[in-house]
Amino acid sequence: MTALRLAPPVAGSRIVAIGGSRGENLVPNNDIVGPINSSDEWIVQRTGIRTRARADEGTSVLDLAAAAAEDALGKAGIEPADLDAVVVATVTHFEQTPALATLLTERLGATPAAAYDISAACAGYCYGIAQADALVRSGTARHVLVVGVERMSDFIDPTDRTISFLLGDGAGAAVVGPSDEPRIGPTVWGSDGSLASAIYQTRSWLDYRREELGEPVPARPELAEEVSQMVTPTLRQQGPTVFKWVITNIPKLALRTIEAAGLTPADIDVFVPHQANMRITDQLLKTLKLRDDVVVGRDIADTGNTSAASIPLATERLLREGDARSGDVALQIGFGAGMAFAGQVVILP
């Protein structure tokens, strides 16, 4: 019997560098409160957001991804040609095919690296890190680029009080490579499709296309009023349902993630949850009982909720501003539509 000649696995993987790119415009609360009959005070109190980053009209999701990737590659000292795989997490690349990752690979000069997209919403970056870690440790790839990127402003309904006023645009990127010892812990992940309606798109792109062509659109009574007022699909969420699910389930996920890495909550130096809502972050901190001096990612205050980009952007900011340091032990947890969730403990680059 002939044996296969497999690439030898490596001891571990690590995040070599993290880069970021945000929408060019910081939009203050006062600019958006009119259509939702709200106030700056209400938004700050409910979400912690003071501004959200919004991209220029001519800035595409590919532009945002490329800027973050180039930042990460430059910090890592790695040429695009040395990448073996490019993984992009996004829900705002509107073309079903080709994948945004293939376009990014060409833009960077990383061809012929393997390239594919992940659709896991706000958990997408952590899903990407999980796959990059596995690719490197198995010997399938030596260097993997993981990008979380969203242009959420394309999904905004200015009159929506459930989620639109939270959303921002940006991209965060990480270069993952081999390590003599594990510096990315085991991923704990999963999903709960029974809550798929907790964060949802008001209509499918197929329905939108049918309407453009004057064809019959399948009835969705639960969305009839919303759809009748929409031109293109936008996002909605059931805020209380999401909040309750996160507070009930994410602390258990976080503790399992820490335990899987062979650590305790006292070992965590930095906590970077998905930047969904500052109230959620504060409640998670109370429940997890991390150290009093733990550094917490709060990029949402200025950038807003950028879905798959939020964790790498928050991490990039902490490192750039000196609040977190190379070698710190960080817990990162992503959760969102689906409900998809994932977490890892990582050593910061």
Side-chain angles (χ1 to χ4, degrees), residues 51-287:
T51 62
R52 68 278 299 137
R54 298 272 172 89
D56 285 341
E57 186 67 28
T59 301
S60 68
V61 68
L62 176 59
D63 294 332
L64 291 167
E70 289 166 354
D71 185 26
L73 288 166
K75 291 173 180 174
I78 292 174
E79 295 296 323
D82 294 328
L83 293 172
D84 299 301
V86 175
V87 181
V88 174
T90 185
V91 294
T92 52
H93 174 54
F94 292 156
E95 298 175 16
Q96 191 72 28
T97 192
L100 179 61
T102 61
L103 306 180
L104 177 61
T105 300
E106 175 65 19
R107 169 79 71 91
L108 295 173
T111 302
Y116 61 96
D117 291 353
I118 296 173
S119 178
C122 308
Y125 173 75
C126 289
Y127 271 52
I129 292 296
Q131 295 188 27
D133 169 54
L135 289 170
V136 171
R137 286 190 296 105
S138 68
T140 302
R142 182 169 178 82
H143 289 108
V144 180
L145 175 68
V146 178
V147 180
V149 59
E150 307 288 10
R151 192 182 146 98
M152 301 303 292
S153 57
D154 288 332
F155 271 107
I156 287 172
D157 169 11
T159 66
D160 167 47
R161 288 174 60 96
T162 72
I163 195 170
S164 289
F165 67 96
L166 282 76
L167 303 176
D169 304 334
V175 177
V176 176
S179 174
D180 292 336
E181 59 184 18
R183 297 174 76 82
I184 297 176
T187 296
V188 178
W189 57 357
S191 66
D192 184 355
S194 69
L195 288 173
S197 61
I199 305 173
Y200 60 94
Q201 191 171 304
T202 52
R203 54 164 59 178
S204 75
W205 288 104
L206 178 59
D207 288 350
Y208 173 58
R209 177 61 175 159
R210 284 170 171 160
E211 188 172 89
E212 275 193 325
L213 296 174
E215 298 176 355
V217 177
R220 296 182 66 189
E222 74 278 14
L223 299 178
E225 181 178 351
E226 290 179 300
V227 169
S228 68
Q229 300 171 4
M230 301 288 161
V231 176
T232 59
T234 63
L235 292 181
R236 290 287 190 276
Q237 75 168 346
Q238 298 175 10
T241 300
V242 173
F243 186 89
K244 181 179 179 180
W245 184 90
V246 171
I247 297 309
T248 301
N249 292 279
I250 294 304
K252 291 180 284 189
L253 169 70
L255 294 175
R256 286 166 51 206
T257 301
I258 295 170
E259 183 179 358
L263 302 175
T264 69
D267 296 314
I268 302 301
D269 302 311
V270 181
F271 178 44
V272 189
H274 163 50
Q275 304 291 285
N277 184 312
M278 199 85 79
R279 290 174 64 209
I280 288 178
T281 296
D282 290 340
Q283 188 61 46
L284 291 176
L285 278 171
K286 292 179 183 178
T287 306

